């Protein structure tokens, strides 16, 4: 449903064009161009179904104004949250870390950024003096902080990876 | 000057379509629909299609969509010097389904036909379950005359599966999963497919194209080349002479469409007859003649006219949910912590709360418990369809609250009998609370224990992030329809009561309700970020909101009501529109507690 514009050349399809014939044949005929081909290749970092339903909210599939604003807001939010996490690490504020983990978990889950979400969940658990699944208690703050430090680094890395993919997808590199 | 170009559906084999030297891509789409008369032509219009070109030399050009205004031959020559090969066929893409539209409605019939349809197309299942029509008729009717109406509908109405019509005629919802009986026989005897197939594409879609010869030919092809289709076994009934939109103003697109396809194609002239003798309209209908259709039509996408409170502390999630509500065309307000949520809820008029669990200041569970507690002490009736509580409420409220007689109210409603409601717990606008609000817990946690905790706190349902929009839409419909039913009943009774009192309150309220969503949003939403201490703030905000809305209404008048398009009771607003405007702004200010009461 591409909108008519004056510059058809600007409207580059988001379809991955490296392996088109095979990839297209894989998609169900009744799914349109968006199908599974519209998404950046991010492996298991992005849950396609979740992200696609956000893409479907876009009024214009070329501008992608809505999803773009959501995604870029998330970038900002994530950066800010990571900063807060670093500060909370400094002050050994486990509770705060748990809350921050939960907070970022919510939005990363909404966007389908699976890896970031999983790490945030761990941060939430560690901050609550639990093990990484949140089922057993871990009373030792130092152990928790050590795990937190590691997991936060991991979350940042995962975030930056997926950020790159998404920025490419939105032609903002 | 004719050429041929290869096109194909993704993954399918290519085919040649004829083009002229000067054809635009837009023309090619027409030709493609002729070629794909069955698989595409019946469901899509030419402008729905997009063509994608995969260049031979991917290093030089990128794969892209063709604009409708491009000259196809020039484009082809540019990309495929020396002629297009079969494996360079243009790819035909069909519109993507939009999230909220094709909700997975259960039900028989040729669903696939409707899957990709835009709202201009009737939503066949809009009449299933509670459906749109349900809103226009009270559950009381259902409770009192179900058997009569059902009998009459089987005898009177030759097409019992035209549920929407049946509802219009009888004022009740026909029993859907009818266990046996003649209904079923009718249903089987006349497969729905015949009617949908022939009616929709031929009579509705076509007029716009009828001047173009190719399309006409396509139509005939479409109907001829349907061997093996059950449709051919039964002669396609000629469309009724009545234009589909005859009964409703053309602006009410939705109003006319839902029942239309069945009606148009129905071979039985009785269908129209039945339509005309819509038996004894309820007092409400009698008052506002086009109301049933109108109110139905206002429910875009068959989502009930409900008011949703979104409680989320994460702005990303909030934005998304808001966008989704916008898409569903339901009203919503937001709160960013539990305390603000309770305060917003106390303002009344909400049907559904999407409640995040972990929130700052007051958690979602605490907020839920608080809401349930307030509902209890204020005697907000239990969730019941015969609703003596809800029907009693309006009258009680009419004389109860001004004197601060909270206890009297409680006793009258039977729920908290004798219990004195503390001043701080008393809901000021108790008449806005027809039934306990539906609270759906939202959380990113998948722990079973969290789920149990949420349900124990008084949530009705539970939803794991990431929210599946299809699921959410269905929930909004289900819960919303339920609430709207109850609310409508209460509203109608209250309406009668206020008519007795010769006050234009009801109209005012309904009008206000429907008036200009932007105005409401504009004033409620900015207040959200002020999460901390939004408690009192939110409450003070309310009158402002209403006043603004009132102004909006004055400016926009009745047109605004129609435009808002999401309010089931807007018919009354329209009816009373003149009174309302005369009452002016002062009215809007004083009647703040009336807002959103349905």
């Amino acid at each position: 449903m591409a909108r008519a514009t004056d510059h058809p050349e600007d409207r580059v399809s988001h379809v991955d064009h490296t392996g088109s014939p095979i990839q297209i044949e894989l998609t169900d005929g009744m799914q349109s161009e968006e199908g599974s081909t519209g998404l950046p290749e991010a492996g298991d970092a992005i849950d396609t179904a979740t992200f696609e339903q956000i893409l479907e909210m876009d009024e214009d599939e070329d501008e992608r104004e809505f999803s773009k604003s959501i995604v870029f807001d998330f970038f900002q939010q994530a950066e800010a949250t990571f900063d807060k996490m670093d500060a909370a690490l400094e002050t050994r504020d486990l509770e705060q870390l748990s809350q921050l983990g939960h907070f970022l978990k919510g939005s990363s889950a909404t966007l389908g950024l699976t890896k970031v979400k999983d790490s945030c969940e761990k941060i939430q658990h560690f901050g609550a003096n639990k093990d990484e699944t949140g089922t057993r208690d871990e009373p030792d703050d130092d152990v928790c902080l050590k795990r937190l430090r590691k997991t936060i680094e991991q979350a940042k890395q995962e975030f930056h990876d997926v950020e790159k993919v998404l920025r490419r997808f939105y032609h903002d590199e | 000057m004719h050429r041929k170009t290869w096109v194909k559906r993704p993954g399918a084999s290519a085919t040649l379509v004829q083009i002229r030297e000067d054809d635009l891509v837009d023309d090619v789409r027409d030709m493609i629909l002729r070629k794909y008369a069955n698989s595409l032509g019946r469901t899509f219009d030419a402008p729905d299609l997009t063509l994608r070109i995969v260049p031979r030399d991917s290093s030089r050009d990128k794969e892209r969509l063709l604009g409708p205004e491009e000259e196809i031959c020039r484009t082809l020559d540019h990309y495929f010097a020396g002629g297009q090969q079969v494996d360079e066929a243009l790819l035909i893409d069909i519109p993507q389904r939009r999230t909220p539209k094709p909700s997975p409605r259960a039900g028989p019939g040729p669903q696939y036909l409707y899957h990709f349809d835009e709202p201009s197309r009737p939503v066949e299942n809009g009449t299933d379950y509670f459906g749109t029509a349900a809103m226009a008729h009270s559950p009381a009717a259902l409770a009192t005359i179900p058997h009569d109406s059902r009998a009459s509908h089987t005898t009177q109405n030759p097409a019992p599966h035209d549920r929407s019509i049946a509802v219009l005629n009888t004022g009740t919802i026909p029993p859907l999963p009818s266990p046996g009986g003649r209904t079923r026989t009718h249903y089987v005897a006349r497969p729905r497919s015949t009617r949908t197939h022939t009616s929709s594409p031929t009579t509705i879609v076509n007029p716009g194209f009828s001047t173009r010869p190719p399309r006409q030919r396509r139509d005939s092809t479409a109907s001829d080349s349907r061997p093996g289709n059950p449709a051919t076994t039964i002669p396609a009934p000629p469309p009724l002479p009545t234009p589909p939109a005859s009964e409703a103003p053309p602006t009410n697109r939705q109003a006319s469409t839902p029942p239309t396809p069945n009606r148009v194609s129905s071979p039985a002239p009785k269908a129209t007859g039945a339509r005309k003798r819509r038996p004894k309209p309820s007092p409400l209908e009698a008052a506002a003649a086009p109301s049933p259709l109108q109110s139905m039509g206002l429910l875009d996408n068959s989502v009930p006219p409900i008011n949703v409170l979104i409680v989320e502390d994460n702005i990303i999630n909030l934005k998304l949910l808001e966008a989704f509500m916008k898409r569903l065309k339901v009203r919503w307000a937001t709160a960013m912590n539990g305390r603000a949520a309770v305060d917003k809820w106390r303002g009344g008029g909400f049907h559904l709360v999407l409640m995040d669990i972990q929130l700052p200041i007051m958690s979602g569970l605490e907020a839920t418990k608080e809401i349930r507690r307030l509902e209890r002490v204020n005697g907000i009736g239990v969730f019941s369809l015969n609703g003596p509580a809800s029907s009693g409420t309006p009258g009680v409220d009419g004389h109860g609250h001004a004197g601060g007689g909270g206890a009297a109210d409680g006793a009258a409603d039977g729920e908290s009998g004798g219990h004195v409601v503390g001043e701080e717990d008393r809901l000021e606008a108790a008449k806005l609370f027809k039934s306990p609000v539906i609270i759906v817990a939202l959380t990113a946690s998948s722990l079973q224990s969290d789920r149990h905790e949420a349900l124990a706190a008084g949530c009705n349902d539970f939803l794991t992030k990431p929210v599946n929009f299809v699921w959410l839409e269905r929930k909004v419909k289900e819960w919303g329809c339920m609430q709207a039913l109850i609310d409508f009943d209460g509203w109608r009774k209250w309406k009668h009561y206020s008519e007795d009192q010769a006050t234009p309150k009801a109209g005012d309220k309904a009008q206000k309700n429907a008036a200009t969503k932007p105005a409401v949003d504009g004033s409620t939403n900015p207040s959200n970020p002020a999460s901390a201490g939004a408690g009192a703030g939110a409450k003070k905000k309310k009158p402002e909101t209403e006043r603004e809305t009132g102004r909006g209404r004055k400016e926009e008048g009745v047109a605004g009501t129609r435009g808002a398009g999401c309010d089931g009771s807007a018919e009354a607003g329209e009816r009373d529109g003149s009174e309302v405007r005369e009452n002016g702004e002062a009215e809007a200010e004083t009647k703040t507690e009336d807002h959103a009461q349905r």
Side-chain angles (χ1 to χ4, degrees):
Chain A
M1 285 215 295
R3 305 285 137 88
T5 67
D6 295 328
H7 307 288
E9 291 78 16
D10 295 346
R11 289 185 285 117
V12 178
S13 148
H14 294 304
V15 175
D16 170 37
H17 41 85
T18 50
S20 29
I22 296 159
Q23 210 168 11
I24 285 162
E25 270 150 31
L26 283 176
T27 63
D28 180 352
M30 294 302 276
Q31 300 290 328
S32 81
E33 85 239 26
E34 195 78 350
S36 58
T37 54
L39 264 184
E41 283 175 25
D44 54 355
I46 300 181
D47 176 52
T48 326
T50 305
F51 192 69
E52 263 178 14
Q53 70 175 6
I54 299 173
L55 293 184
E56 283 177 31
M57 308 269 285
D58 283 326
E59 299 280 321
D60 185 312
E61 285 176 15
D62 302 314
E63 294 293 323
R64 296 217 169 279
E65 205 177 321
F66 174 75
S67 68
K68 191 174 179 178
S69 79
I70 292 268
V71 167
F72 280 66
D73 280 357
F74 174 77
F75 292 164
Q76 284 184 5
Q77 187 185 79
E79 295 287 3
T81 310
F82 285 134
D83 287 347
K84 283 185 201 161
M85 283 182 182
D86 288 341
L89 275 178
E90 290 295 311
T91 56
R92 299 170 61 91
D93 189 342
L94 286 180
E95 197 192 328
Q96 169 78 353
L97 282 164
S98 179
Q99 274 177 15
L100 290 169
H102 173 263
F103 180 75
L104 199 58
K105 179 178 80 168
S107 43
S108 50
T110 294
L111 292 183
L113 309 183
T114 321
K115 281 186 174 173
V116 180
K117 184 205 115 183
D118 289 346
S119 293
C120 286
E121 191 162 37
K122 287 179 195 166
I123 294 170
Q124 183 189 351
H125 292 322
F126 291 145
N129 283 104
K130 302 261 184 190
D131 70 344
E132 74 171 35
T133 58
T135 45
R136 268 170 311 178
D137 289 338
E138 174 53 68
D140 189 340
D141 282 4
D142 286 327
V143 174
C144 290
L145 278 169
K146 197 174 143 225
R147 288 176 177 168
L148 277 167
R149 209 160 270 136
K150 188 171 154 243
T151 313
I152 290 171
E153 279 318 304
Q154 191 187 331
K156 281 183 189 167
Q157 187 55 48
E158 286 159 350
F159 165 68
H160 287 302
D161 289 348
V162 80
E163 181 190 18
K164 234 175 264 167
V165 175
L166 287 171
R167 283 196 191 273
R168 207 177 307 136
F169 177 66
Y170 287 107
H171 309 292
D172 178 88
E173 285 174 87
Chain B
M1 292 304 272
H2 285 292
R3 289 174 53 164
K4 287 194 167 182
T5 180
W6 288 104
V7 298
K8 68 170 180 179
R9 304 276 305 275
S13 87
T15 182
L16 281 171
V17 294
Q18 201 172 56
I19 51 173
R20 285 206 312 266
E21 203 67 56
D22 56 348
D23 268 355
L24 302 179
V25 170
D26 196 40
D27 301 306
V28 179
R29 298 194 293 198
D30 274 352
M31 300 302 287
I32 287 171
L33 276 193
R34 276 176 66 192
K35 199 91 181 190
Y36 290 92
N38 271 312
S39 59
L40 299 179
R42 275 197 242 145
T43 328
F44 296 104
D45 296 333
D48 291 339
L49 304 183
T50 47
L51 286 179
R52 192 148 43 93
I53 192 165
V54 184
R56 187 179 290 165
D57 179 3
S58 59
S59 60
R60 193 169 59 113
D61 292 298
K62 276 173 132 177
E63 174 178 331
R64 66 180 183 85
L65 300 178
L66 296 179
E69 78 286 19
E70 289 179 65
E71 281 189 45
I72 184 69
C73 291
R74 273 174 63 180
T75 310
L76 286 175
D77 292 341
H78 170 75
Y79 277 87
F80 308 117
Q84 183 196 28
Q85 302 301 310
V86 62
D87 55 352
E88 292 163 337
L90 300 175
L91 289 163
I92 306 162
D93 288 329
I94 53 177
Q96 171 99 28
R97 31 193 283 189
R98 292 293 196 171
T99 318
K101 305 210 170 110
S103 83
R105 303 178 177 99
Q111 290 279 328
Y112 56 89
L113 269 184
Y114 291 103
H115 258 218
F116 303 92
D117 286 349
E118 294 298 310
S120 59
R121 200 63 79 79
V123 183
E124 181 184 18
N125 304 67
T127 53
D128 276 350
Y129 199 43
F130 285 104
T132 50
M135 248 68 59
H137 301 280
S138 73
L142 186 68
T144 50
I145 47 160
H147 291 292
D148 295 357
S149 68
R150 183 177 162 192
S152 69
H153 125 236
T154 6
T155 47
Q156 276 180 7
N157 193 337
H161 41 293
D162 286 4
R163 292 191 198 111
S164 51
I165 292 179
V167 169
L168 283 182
N169 290 335
T170 59
T172 64
I173 309 154
L176 298 188
S178 161
R182 270 185 294 169
T183 333
R184 179 58 59 86
T185 327
H186 279 294
Y187 189 86
V188 174
R190 301 202 325 182
R192 209 184 262 189
S193 51
T194 330
R195 301 154 62 250
T196 40
H197 281 189
T198 45
S199 69
S200 314
T202 343
T203 50
I204 298 175
V205 174
N206 260 344
F209 289 94
S210 55
T211 52
R212 306 185 71 165
R215 287 292 287 199
Q216 278 176 348
R217 251 185 295 154
R218 162 177 99 67
D219 297 332
S220 57
T221 329
S223 42
D224 291 342
S225 59
R226 230 184 278 145
N229 190 314
T232 45
T233 58
I234 299 162
L240 290 183
T242 341
S246 61
E247 198 159 76
T251 45
N252 275 313
R253 194 183 43 161
Q254 287 301 313
S256 55
T257 38
T260 296
N262 296 341
R263 208 186 277 158
V264 169
S265 56
S266 168
K270 275 190 213 163
T272 18
R275 221 162 103 218
K276 274 170 199 151
R277 70 183 127 97
R278 190 190 307 152
K280 47 174 185 291
S282 74
L284 187 75
E285 287 167 9
S291 63
L293 277 179
Q294 208 142 46
S295 66
M296 282 169 63
L298 291 168
L299 314 175
D300 205 20
N301 285 331
S302 74
V303 175
I306 59 168
N307 200 3
V308 181
L309 178 60
I310 307 171
V311 191
E312 249 294 353
D313 64 324
N314 193 314
I315 188 75
I316 304 282
N317 299 355
L318 192 60
K319 259 178 99 171
L320 204 57
L321 287 170
E322 282 188 278
F324 190 69
M325 292 304 149
K326 209 181 282 178
R327 193 117 194 212
L328 285 181
K329 300 200 168 75
V330 302
R331 288 174 304 145
W332 80 93
T334 59
M336 291 187 78
N337 64 62
R339 175 49 54 199
V342 173
D343 288 329
K344 280 258 166 71
W345 170 83
R346 286 183 79 132
F350 289 105
H351 304 93
L352 180 65
V353 179
L354 300 177
M355 179 82 81
D356 191 18
I357 291 306
Q358 283 203 21
L359 294 165
I361 300 175
M362 182 193 249
S363 83
L365 293 182
E366 287 171 55
T368 301
K369 286 178 190 159
E370 175 69 2
I371 288 174
R372 293 304 183 216
R373 187 186 69 81
L374 288 170
E375 281 176 346
R376 208 163 44 240
V377 300
N378 281 277
I380 291 163
V382 284
F383 194 55
S384 65
L385 277 175
N386 53 13
S390 63
S391 58
T393 315
V396 169
D397 293 332
H399 28 78
H401 273 296
D409 283 3
D413 282 15
E415 179 77 4
S416 60
H419 183 91
V420 177
V421 183
E423 194 59 34
E424 74 277 14
D425 285 345
R426 197 159 52 77
L427 296 172
E428 287 165 30
K431 64 168 77 82
L432 301 186
F433 299 90
K434 289 296 156 226
S435 68
V437 71
I438 303 283
I439 303 181
V440 177
L442 290 177
T443 171
S445 161
S446 48
L447 292 180
Q448 193 69 23
S449 58
D450 287 354
R451 178 182 299 242
H452 289 149
E453 221 180 332
L455 297 178
C459 294
N460 302 77
D461 215 329
F462 187 93
L463 177 48
T464 313
K465 293 178 199 166
V467 176
N468 179 319
F469 287 160
V470 174
W471 190 96
L472 180 58
E473 183 196 11
R474 204 159 49 187
K475 284 296 171 192
V476 167
K477 275 186 193 165
E478 283 179 15
W479 291 124
C481 285
M482 206 73 105
Q483 288 281 34
L485 272 170
I486 292 166
D487 229 11
F488 184 85
D489 189 37
W491 175 83
R492 210 176 57 160
K493 294 224 167 79
W494 182 67
K495 167 90 178 138
H496 291 168
Y497 168 81
S498 50
E499 270 169 0
D500 293 345
Q501 301 279 306
T503 66
K505 265 188 169 185
D508 181 28
K509 167 226 65 185
Q511 181 88 356
K512 202 182 296 176
N513 235 346
T516 59
K517 194 167 190 301
V520 176
D521 300 338
S523 48
T524 52
N525 291 343
S527 70
N528 295 326
S531 49
K539 262 173 124 177
K540 279 179 204 143
K541 204 93 195 170
K542 216 77 204 183
E544 268 175 52
T545 305
E546 295 311 319
R547 212 176 311 131
E548 279 180 44
T549 318
R551 266 191 224 113
R553 164 176 52 94
K554 269 177 76 185
E555 284 159 20
E556 304 210 358
V558 174
T561 310
R562 286 208 181 97
C566 60
D567 196 300
S569 46
E571 63 219 323
E574 213 162 290
R575 218 183 101 213
D576 298 336
S578 52
E579 298 167 49
V580 168
R581 273 187 305 261
E582 286 162 23
N583 287 324
E585 201 165 282
E587 180 81 0
E589 279 178 16
T590 54
K591 296 287 191 320
T592 51
E593 82 279 9
D594 297 339
H595 92 289
Q597 195 243 311
R598 276 172 300 117

